[in-house]
Amino acid sequence: MVSVVEHGSFSAAARTLHLTQPALSRRIGALESATGLRLFHRLDRTVRLTAEGEALLPYVRRIMGVQRDAGLAVEELHGKNSGALKVIALPSMVVTDVAPIVATFHREYSQVGLQIAAADDSREIAQLVAEARCDVAVADLEETYPGLSCAPLRRMSLMAIFPPGSELDDDGAEGRWPVVRAADLERHTLVTLPAGTLTRTITDALYLHVGAVPPRVVTTSQRDALAAFALHGVGVTFVPDVMAVSAAAAGASVAVSDAGLTRKLGLVYRRENLSPTLAAFMEVAQRVAASAPETP
């Protein structure tokens, strides 16, 4: 059922499951007979869940998660350096926080299979963790995750990246980084993410704090490209602190905000799924976060 939903048709799901389409259709028919529910509207080349199917789907995913947890529990009998973990995060956090954690964890527990994926927003993260479709998430802990457990890692702030050679009003003489001013921002096009994203929301708040209005705005859905646009001279952008420090090393002019707007980042997981392997991953994550260089 889940494979049909994810692939949009019986034929595509059958190929993924290495079944013939008639065999998969018989299995779905048997499930419908057993539950007394009609699960799919069968269209010409695609299928769509019925209202009953929509209601049943979360429970099917949970059953699959329990089966997966049982398998992991058996694997854990062999110790921490075995089994598999699926880690998800917001796209920007995959680059800034997940990558160094995974690098350290893989060095220390090389036999653990790792799968890393991105989620669109905190709501999707909560759903994926709750339905056991992943083991742990690196997420924004300023959001709430009912029924799930959280472990803090660090506080994140956004920093401004200006094109190389940009002259800033604050020369940073009293600190490592200059403080961004309204005049700095209003001399440059703003390069940012679409409205509704966490980065854009904080960016808009930072402009409001200094009383600046961007003269032009360029939006992109590619979070990892923001720093590249600034480095190539398109305009100013705000990115997580870790990315900004890397951009400074590449020649960008970097500044901090004095607005005090930070976000608490951490791990989201199901306490009942806290296996030795997951516990080892969490210990590594907290150790890596604690040893990271301090940023404003």
Side-chain angles (χ1 to χ4, degrees):
M1 177 181 176
V2 172
S3 186
V4 173
V5 171
E6 292 178 346
H7 292 88
S9 71
F10 279 79
S11 57
R15 287 193 297 271
T16 301
L17 297 171
H18 305 291
L19 295 172
T20 65
Q21 184 172 334
L24 178 59
S25 295
R26 286 194 296 271
R27 292 191 181 189
I28 295 296
L31 178 59
E32 290 179 322
S33 296
T35 59
L37 305 174
R38 185 186 180 194
L39 302 178
F40 290 100
H41 294 296
R42 290 158 173 81
L43 309 175
D44 289 341
R45 294 187 177 180
T46 60
V47 293
R48 181 168 55 85
L49 281 173
T50 63
E52 293 171 323
E54 291 278 4
L56 184 64
L57 182 62
Y59 296 96
V60 174
R61 291 192 187 279
R62 290 176 192 173
I63 291 170
M64 293 175 63
V66 170
Q67 290 177 324
R68 182 171 179 272
D69 290 348
L72 289 174
V74 173
E75 291 176 351
E76 292 299 344
L77 294 175
H78 301 289
K80 298 177 182 178
N81 203 358
S82 64
L85 286 176
K86 183 173 182 179
V87 183
I88 63 168
L90 296 175
S92 60
M93 294 179 193
V94 173
V95 176
T96 59
D97 291 88
V98 176
I101 292 170
V102 166
T104 301
F105 183 80
H106 185 59
R107 285 195 299 270
E108 298 180 9
Y109 301 95
S110 59
Q111 300 306 308
V112 176
L114 290 168
Q115 182 179 353
I116 316 300
D120 288 337
D121 51 37
S122 297
R123 181 180 300 178
E124 183 182 6
I125 283 176
Q127 182 177 3
L128 292 173
V129 176
E131 294 180 355
R133 294 162 64 188
C134 71
D135 298 293
V136 63
V138 179
D140 175 17
L141 296 192
E142 305 292 344
E143 302 290 339
T144 57
Y145 303 91
L148 301 174
S149 298
C150 299
L153 290 177
R154 71 181 186 94
R155 296 205 73 89
M156 179 273 291
S157 62
L158 294 189
M159 296 174 64
I161 303 178
F162 292 87
S166 297
E167 294 186 3
L168 305 180
D169 280 5
D170 186 331
D171 62 9
E174 297 181 359
R176 180 182 178 188
W177 308 104
V179 175
V180 65
R181 305 299 186 191
D184 299 326
L185 297 177
E186 291 180 338
R187 281 194 290 265
H188 296 274
T189 296
L190 170 63
V191 183
T192 187
L193 299 180
T197 60
L198 176 61
T199 295
R200 179 62 178 273
T201 299
I202 298 177
T203 295
D204 290 346
L206 294 175
Y207 270 77
L208 182 64
H209 172 73
V210 298
V213 176
R216 297 161 299 277
V217 178
V218 172
T219 60
T220 175
S221 61
Q222 301 301 309
R223 291 170 172 83
D224 296 346
L226 291 174
F229 282 126
L231 284 165
H232 281 83
V234 178
V236 60
T237 190
F238 283 85
V239 297
D241 41 28
V242 174
M243 296 177 67
V245 172
S246 296
S253 298
V254 174
V256 299
S257 170
D258 59 0
L261 294 175
T262 63
R263 306 291 288 191
K264 182 168 65 173
L265 308 185
L267 305 170
V268 179
Y269 62 101
R270 291 176 297 128
R271 186 171 297 277
E272 63 270 23
N273 190 40
L274 188 56
S275 64
T277 302
L278 178 54
F281 180 88
M282 293 176 62
E283 185 277 327
V284 168
Q286 291 172 322
R287 177 161 30 101
V288 169
S291 64
E294 289 189 9
T295 52

